[in-house]
């Protein structure tokens, strides 16, 4: 499914009549930041922190993390045209452009529609970008390609933007294998592929305060029925979501409010029965056609490189590009965009850990992409770390996660910690946990300690399907101590000659012991 011309014109009219007047008032100083946020968020844009000068970001929705050539070309043209100096790959598989004045903001938002990029619903109480296993359709170990279904749901979910009030944002994910890279079992609604070509469906999951693994509300669901589950979820959310207490308005609070898992399943089943009746009564709302990519490219050249991953397609590779903190250097991004434009079948897939995969490459083409991105990518496992944009830009942020991740990488490099001695860390500048610090080996969430900048340390989180564990909170570390803590931990692991996972299996309380002197 793709955005229709009629839909594009509806969104274009909304930009002109709703967003543009509000943006002009905000930039002129005639609309307060909080009032503007209530309008701009629904259009995928937020004012950045600070007023001198007033600047904004825009979130470009990339359903399923799929950054096709025409969309990549549009972004590259916008970067050149407006001299954009800050780009962000996000944990919801979108691309954010930062430090925008009024004119570039309006130009990009409307121009994006011409290539099928709809920013509406990128923020606010709306269905957000539908996430997906980034290498779906290419992964040799997946059950089946879920990307076409994720893209279909992404288009269908757009109909619920401002169509009726949701209590909070709605996050939907698709996973093609038990690796659960997209955290589909921990979303408001998640579709998890099975070996038999069907889906298990999970609901009411989420990270942040009161984190929850989703409740399974569907087993062996036919792919043709997925729209039914989307609408049922929307109706559950509308019926039982908390509209009075915003802090408890996310779907993961609903099961508790209803009296537990069994009662939530019953409530979901009732809403599902209602939408199934709509279809039985003749509604065509739930019908869709999956657009299966027709791709016949193969390769003969071979490459052996740690950043090159073999695809299921014969002779083809995906190249890993992970700029530190998910913020690619604009000059490198432009070179990459130009290179991808010239390679048959190549495109970019964005991952929830802020990695970009350049896919469908022969060995020779992969080598070219590796060389282009070599100076702007992680070179160790630890440097595959993830961080949100942080409080220097984000209104909701309490800590500058970008500054911390760069300080940590610099400290680990300077100390000469070998590859494998530390896992990737995930850092979020606020309790919201958009960078999923609760689902990884080592995570940090912005906090305060003794009136000083601090982060809550969590350890031993996992997101593998069926083995999900939210990390154990050890306490708050002063921000200034975190690089030293990681260097000390990495040194302890390196001394043994083991990898981090091997060391941890032999020293299950090892991280806690190293962290002890940094904790209250």
């Amino acid at each position: 499914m793709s955005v229709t011309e009629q839909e594009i014109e509806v969104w274009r009219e909304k930009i002109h009549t709703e967003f543009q007047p509000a943006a002009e008032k905000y930039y002129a100083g005639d609309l307060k930041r909080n009032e503007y946020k209530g309008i701009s968020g629904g259009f995928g844009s937020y004012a950045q922190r600070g007023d001198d000068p007033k600047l904004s970001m825009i979130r470009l929705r990339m359903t399923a993390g799929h950054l096709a050539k025409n969309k990549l070309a549009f972004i590259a043209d916008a970067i050149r045209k407006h001299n954009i100096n800050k780009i962000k790959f996000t944990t919801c598989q979108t691309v954010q452009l930062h430090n925008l004045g009024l004119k570039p903001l309006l130009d990009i938002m409307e121009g994006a529609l011409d290539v099928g990029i709809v920013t509406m619903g990128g923020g606010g109480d709306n269905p957000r970008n539908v996430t997906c296993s980034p290498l779906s359709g290419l992964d040799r170990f997946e059950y089946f390609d879920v990307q076409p279904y994720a893209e279909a749901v992404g288009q269908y979910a757009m109909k619920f933007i401002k169509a009726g009030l949701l209590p909070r944002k709605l996050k939907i994910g698709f996973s093609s294998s038990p690796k659960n890279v997209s955290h589909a079992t921990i979303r408001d609604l998640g579709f998890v592929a099975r070996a038999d070509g069907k889906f298990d469906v999970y609901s009411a999951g989420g990270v942040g305060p009161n984190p929850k693994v989703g409740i399974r509300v569907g087993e062996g669901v036919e792919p043709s029925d997925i729209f039914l589950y989307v609408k049922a979820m929307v109706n559950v959310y509308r019926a039982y979501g908390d509209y009075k207490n915003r802090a408890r308005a996310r779907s993961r609070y609903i099961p508790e409010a209803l009296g537990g898992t069994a009662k939530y399943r019953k409530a979901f089943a009732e809403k599902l029965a209602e939408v199934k009746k709509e279809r039985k009564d003749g509604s065509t709302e739930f019908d869709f056609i999956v657009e299966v990519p027709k791709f016949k490219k193969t390769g003969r050249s071979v490459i052996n490189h740690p950043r090159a991953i073999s695809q299921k397609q014969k002779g083809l590779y995906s190249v890993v590009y992970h700029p530190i903190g998910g913020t690619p250097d604009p000059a490198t991004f432009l070179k990459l965009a130009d290179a991808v434009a010239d390679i048959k079948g190549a495109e970019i897939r964005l991952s929830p850990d802020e990695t970009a995969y350049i896919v469908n490459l022969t060995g020779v083409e992969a080598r070219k992409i590796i060389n282009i991105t070599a100076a702007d990518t992680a070179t160790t496992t630890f440097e595959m770390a993830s961080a949100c944009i942080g409080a220097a830009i984000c209104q909701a942020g309490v800590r500058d996660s970008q500054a911390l991740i760069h300080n940590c990488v610099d400290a680990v490099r300077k100390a000469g910690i070998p590859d494998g001695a530390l896992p990737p860390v995930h850092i979020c500048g606020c309790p919201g946990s958009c960078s999923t610090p609760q689902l990884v080996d080592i995570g940090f969430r912005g906090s305060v300690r003794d009136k000083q900048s601090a982060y809550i340390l969590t350890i031993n989180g996992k997101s593998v399907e069926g083995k999900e564990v939210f990390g154990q909170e050890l306490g708050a570390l002063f921000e200034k101590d975190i690089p030293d803590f990681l260097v000390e931990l990495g040194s302890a692991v390196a001394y043994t000659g083991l990898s981090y996972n091997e060391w941890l299996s032999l020293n299950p309380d090892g991280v806690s012991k190293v962290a002890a002197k940094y904790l209250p």
Side-chain angles (χ1 to χ4, degrees):
M1 297 180 69
S2 58
V3 185
T4 67
E5 287 296 326
Q6 183 179 4
E7 290 168 328
I8 290 293
E9 291 311 308
V10 170
W11 293 121
R12 197 183 305 277
E13 179 67 17
K14 286 181 177 291
I15 291 173
H16 292 163
T17 59
E18 297 178 27
F19 178 77
Q20 184 172 341
E24 289 173 343
K25 287 182 180 179
Y26 170 72
Y27 276 85
D30 297 328
L31 188 64
K32 293 182 179 180
R33 183 185 298 272
N34 283 343
E35 295 177 69
Y36 178 55
K37 179 180 179 181
I39 300 169
S40 71
F43 288 84
S45 178
Y46 288 103
Q48 297 181 183
R49 192 180 291 268
D51 290 315
D52 188 20
K54 283 184 167 66
L55 297 171
S56 294
M57 55 73 71
I58 189 168
R59 185 174 294 147
L60 303 175
R61 183 190 292 261
M62 300 292 159
T63 304
H66 184 194
L67 182 46
K69 280 190 177 185
N70 64 327
K71 297 179 181 181
L72 179 60
F74 169 79
I75 295 173
D77 289 344
I79 292 169
R80 289 187 171 103
K81 179 178 179 180
H82 300 293
N83 296 313
I84 293 171
N85 59 10
K86 190 78 170 181
I87 310 165
K88 184 74 171 71
F89 298 152
T90 77
T91 54
C92 279
Q93 296 174 277
T94 67
V95 177
Q96 287 179 184
L97 303 179
H98 287 272
N99 301 333
L100 304 177
L102 176 61
K103 186 175 180 180
L105 175 62
L106 295 173
D107 183 66
I108 293 169
M109 183 178 290
E110 183 169 358
L113 292 172
D114 295 333
V115 293
I117 300 175
V118 179
T119 65
M120 277 59 76
D125 300 332
N126 294 299
R128 298 295 184 87
N129 193 56
V130 173
T131 58
C132 180
S133 302
L135 295 179
S136 187
L138 313 175
D139 184 354
R140 293 176 295 162
F141 306 105
E142 69 183 0
Y143 288 136
F144 64 93
D145 183 6
V146 302
Q147 181 179 287
Y149 300 102
E151 294 192 308
V153 163
Q155 179 60 23
Y156 176 64
M158 296 288 286
K159 77 186 295 292
F160 299 107
I161 296 175
K162 293 190 176 182
L165 185 66
L166 291 175
R168 286 292 300 275
K169 68 185 79 170
L170 174 66
K171 293 189 174 183
I172 303 173
F174 281 75
S175 174
S176 65
S177 80
K179 288 183 286 188
N180 201 20
V181 176
S182 60
H183 309 139
T185 60
I186 315 171
R187 297 284 180 182
D188 295 298
L189 184 67
F191 296 88
V192 177
R194 296 165 34 127
D196 60 3
K198 300 179 182 181
F199 288 106
D200 284 340
V201 183
Y202 292 79
S203 176
V207 295
N210 190 44
K212 298 291 182 183
V213 176
I215 295 169
R216 189 159 56 188
V217 294
E219 294 185 54
V221 174
E222 293 289 347
S224 58
D225 289 342
I226 56 179
F227 283 13
L228 296 170
Y229 282 81
V230 174
K231 188 167 185 180
M233 180 67 226
V234 169
N235 291 345
V236 166
Y237 212 178
R238 287 174 174 167
Y240 303 110
D242 192 332
Y243 287 88
K244 296 180 179 179
N245 184 352
R246 193 164 177 80
R248 294 179 59 84
R250 292 298 300 275
S251 71
R252 61 183 178 271
Y253 289 93
I254 297 177
E256 179 185 349
L258 291 178
T261 297
K263 291 187 176 180
Y264 182 81
R265 283 201 178 103
K266 182 175 182 292
F268 194 100
E270 290 171 352
K271 296 301 180 185
L272 182 62
E274 290 174 6
V275 296
K276 283 184 175 180
K277 185 177 185 303
E278 289 181 39
R279 184 171 67 175
K280 185 177 180 180
D281 290 344
S283 173
T284 59
E285 175 184 343
F286 312 105
D287 299 339
F288 66 98
I289 298 174
V290 167
E291 298 175 358
V292 179
K294 296 180 180 179
F295 191 72
K296 298 181 180 180
K297 179 179 178 180
T298 59
R300 296 182 178 179
S301 52
V302 177
I303 184 171
N304 183 13
H305 191 280
R307 289 174 54 212
I309 302 172
S310 295
Q311 298 181 185
K312 65 170 63 173
Q313 290 80 12
K314 183 178 179 181
L316 298 187
Y317 300 86
S318 299
V319 168
V320 176
Y321 172 41
H322 188 97
I324 303 301
T327 54
D329 168 62
T332 301
F333 184 90
L334 292 176
K335 290 178 183 177
L336 176 61
D338 291 343
V340 169
D342 292 335
I343 298 175
K344 179 182 177 181
E347 60 185 26
I348 293 178
R349 305 282 188 89
L350 302 173
S351 174
D353 71 351
E354 302 170 346
T355 297
Y357 294 94
I358 301 84
V359 305
N360 300 331
L361 308 173
T362 66
V364 171
E365 292 163 349
R367 175 64 65 182
K368 179 179 180 180
I369 297 299
I370 287 169
N371 290 339
I372 288 172
T373 55
D376 188 42
T377 191
T379 57
T380 67
T381 301
F382 172 71
E383 292 176 7
M384 295 290 290
S386 174
C388 64
I389 197 63
I393 289 178
C394 179
Q395 293 183 49
V398 296
R399 297 290 170 252
D400 190 350
S401 50
Q402 285 292 312
L404 178 59
I405 198 169
H406 283 276
N407 288 340
C408 290
V409 168
D410 290 345
V412 169
R413 285 176 175 176
K414 185 176 180 180
I417 304 300
D419 188 17
L422 286 171
V425 298
H426 285 211
I427 304 172
C428 186
C430 75
S433 301
C434 59
S435 60
T436 63
Q438 297 161 307
L439 295 175
V440 294
D441 292 312
I442 298 177
F444 298 96
R445 289 188 295 145
S447 184
V448 64
R449 173 180 161 193
D450 299 336
K451 299 182 180 180
Q452 297 184 52
S453 179
Y455 285 80
I456 295 172
L457 168 64
T458 62
I459 62 171
N460 301 334
K462 296 186 184 302
S463 60
V464 174
E465 180 193 346
K467 300 178 181 179
E468 301 91 342
V469 175
F470 294 108
Q472 174 191 358
E473 290 190 4
L474 295 186
L477 276 67
F478 290 125
E479 180 176 350
K480 62 183 177 60
D481 289 338
I482 292 175
D484 291 339
F485 159 67
L486 291 171
V487 167
E488 185 173 342
L489 177 60
S491 297
V493 175
Y495 181 78
T496 66
L498 302 173
S499 70
Y500 177 81
N501 287 333
E502 291 169 337
W503 176 84
L504 188 63
S505 67
L506 298 174
N507 301 275
D509 59 350
V511 180
S512 299
K513 287 182 177 179
V514 174
K517 75 177 188 181
Y518 299 99
L519 293 168

